[in-house]
Amino acid sequence: MRSDVRHGVRNGVRPSGGSRKSQEIFDATLDLLAEKGYEGLTVEGVAQRSGVNKTTIYRWWRSKGALLGAALTGARRLDLEPSDTGSLEGDLEALLRSIVTLLTAPPASDIAVATLGAVTHSPDLAVRVREFFADRLAREQPVFDRAMARGELTADVDPMHLVDLLAGVAWLCVVLRQQPIEKDFVSRAVSTVLRGAGAAG
Amino acid sequence: MRSDVRHGVRNGVRPSGGSRKSQEIFDATLDLLAEKGYEGLTVEGVAQRSGVNKTTIYRWWRSKGALLGAALTGARRLDLEPSDTGSLEGDLEALLRSIVTLLTAPPASDIAVATLGAVTHSPDLAVRVREFFADRLAREQPVFDRAMARGELTADVDPMHLVDLLAGVAWLCVVLRQQPIEKDFVSRAVSTVLRGAGAAG
């Protein structure tokens, strides 16, 4: 798989997000977004910073919107790897903890907040952010499939509703209110949301 | 009360948020914030737009941060009047509905989002935003006092935790994900959060 990816790059085919080169392009894209906002982000700037030819980047992503979309979903820096702790409660606590880390530890936090600040000024960026959230939710799906298999969740519970509540309270408290996160922030939010969803805590 | 406020203005004392003049200053402040961000916001610009002398504004608020803080908590435009529907569920649905309106209907939505975008770039602004949230929570307190008196909530439930979950899911879905709000968005979020808090729905 990895060698296929490298072949792809050599042949001028768009590299998978896993290749080192594409990670460098993604990092440059996100750094520029954090520093200059969406208006200040240009493919030329990304080319300069990543050391990859501008026309090469354009061959892989036909617009800066497409490039940013790929960077948001593909950059390792913004990864939220779902955990398998053996319980839904443990898995969601791990998820919420990694969201809080993403929103508080630079450089990911700068990127997250810059994206947010820019999202309402650009319908193009808004589409990319929607794709980002959809992609992250899809990656979390196994957490909910396992919970269903263990009988912790009933089929009528909408995983997206639970994740929205958890991610929402993290954004509000960490980014907007910028309050110090209390020791029981994660466990309390997860237990409220799980109990609210009628899940067996 | 209103005539006291007018007296205050005439005597050069800082006007209460209720006076017409201060509302004009607040509106000018928030409009400029939405248009130009926190860096572009100046007392001079506010003076120009509101037609109030710059030195007069400085006499009332000693910095642009203090002025913005007063505008965020005092502007009628950002008001969230707590409802008294007779039940905690009804009151929280009304609250969440007005948060969604605030975040979707201009000009309040532009202001809310501009503030958010600027908040992490300015520790000064961050303090004002924290004050704004604290002020809004204090205004909602009667909703929770009534619920406690009716036996719908136990004393160990933290109202701020409930409001954070509701406001958070609104911010995430409306501002970040920019998804169309489903018909049952408000009732579903309130019922999950209330059930999660162990409240008698």
Side-chain angles (χ1 to χ4, degrees), chain A residues 122-138:
Chain A
S122 159
D124 189 20
L125 180 56
V127 170
R128 305 304 164 183
V129 169
R130 252 198 306 276
E131 287 168 2
F132 169 76
F133 280 104
D135 176 79
R136 286 306 177 271
L137 187 71

Side-chain angles (χ1 to χ4, degrees), chain B residues 1-26 60-61 67 70-71 73-76:
Chain B
M1 183 67 185
R2 275 200 85 81
S3 71
D4 283 342
V5 165
R6 290 204 187 112
H7 262 292
V9 175
R10 266 206 294 274
N11 299 336
V13 175
R14 180 202 299 192
S16 124
S19 79
R20 198 167 59 84
K21 185 49 70 190
S22 63
Q23 283 298 320
E24 284 166 11
I25 297 172
F26 292 166
W60 294 334
W61 298 283
L67 171 59
T73 50
R76 291 236 178 73

Side-chain angles (χ1 to χ4, degrees), chain A residues 152-195:
Chain A
E152 293 174 298
L153 267 188
T154 52
D156 62 321
V157 175
D158 177 6
M160 192 188 284
H161 179 55
L162 306 190
V163 173
D164 280 349
L165 281 164
L166 295 176
V169 77
W171 274 92
L172 188 86
C173 293
V174 173
V175 180
L176 281 180
R177 294 242 311 266
Q178 298 192 31
Q179 67 191 22
I181 291 299
E182 283 164 46
K183 230 192 267 173
D184 67 343
F185 173 81
V186 164
S187 60
R188 191 157 71 139
V190 168
S191 109
T192 301
V193 166
L194 276 186
R195 183 150 75 148

Side-chain angles (χ1 to χ4, degrees), chain B residues 9 12 29 37 50-51 65-66 86 90 102 115 135 149 163 179-180 195-197:
Chain B
V9 175
T29 305
S50 64
L102 205 65
T115 308
D135 176 80
V163 173
Q179 66 190 24
R195 183 151 75 150

Side-chain angles (χ1 to χ4, degrees), chain B:
Chain B
M1 183 67 185
R2 275 200 85 81
S3 71
D4 283 342
V5 165
R6 290 204 187 112
H7 262 292
V9 175
R10 266 206 294 274
N11 299 336
V13 175
R14 180 202 299 192
S16 124
S19 79
R20 198 167 59 84
K21 185 49 70 190
S22 63
Q23 283 298 320
E24 284 166 11
I25 297 172
F26 292 166
D27 283 350
T29 305
L30 296 174
D31 284 344
L32 280 174
L33 177 74
E35 284 167 27
K36 315 202 165 183
Y38 190 66
E39 289 80 27
L41 174 67
T42 60
V43 171
E44 191 141 50
V46 173
Q48 215 156 35
R49 188 172 292 217
S50 64
V52 176
N53 200 287
K54 192 171 95 170
T55 52
T56 308
I57 298 179
Y58 269 123
R59 206 180 321 138
W60 294 334
W61 298 283
R62 67 188 188 295
S63 68
K64 89 171 177 184
L67 171 59
L68 179 59
L72 283 171
T73 50
R76 291 236 178 73
R77 244 195 234 176
L78 299 180
D79 264 359
L80 289 177
E81 279 314 314
S83 300
D84 185 359
T85 65
S87 77
L88 178 58
E89 188 168 24
D91 288 359
L92 291 183
E93 287 186 358
L95 170 65
L96 184 51
R97 224 173 287 119
S98 57
I99 293 175
V100 169
T101 304
L102 205 65
L103 295 177
T104 46
S109 56
D110 296 332
I111 295 161
V113 171
T115 308
L116 169 64
V119 73
T120 49
H121 296 295
S122 158
D124 189 19
L125 180 56
V127 171
R128 306 303 164 183
V129 169
R130 252 197 307 277
E131 287 168 2
F132 169 76
F133 280 106
D135 176 80
R136 286 305 178 271
L137 187 72
R139 293 199 206 179
E140 294 302 326
Q141 191 57 48
V143 163
F144 296 99
D145 293 343
R146 288 193 302 262
M148 218 103 67
R150 281 189 301 252
E152 292 174 300
L153 266 188
T154 52
D156 62 319
V157 175
D158 177 6
M160 192 188 282
H161 179 56
L162 305 191
V163 173
D164 279 349
L165 282 163
L166 294 177
V169 77
W171 274 92
L172 188 86
C173 294
V174 172
V175 180
L176 281 181
R177 293 241 314 264
Q178 297 192 32
Q179 66 190 24
I181 292 299
E182 282 164 47
K183 230 194 267 174
D184 67 343
F185 173 81
V186 164
S187 61
R188 190 156 73 139
V190 169
S191 108
T192 302
V193 167
L194 276 186
R195 183 151 75 150

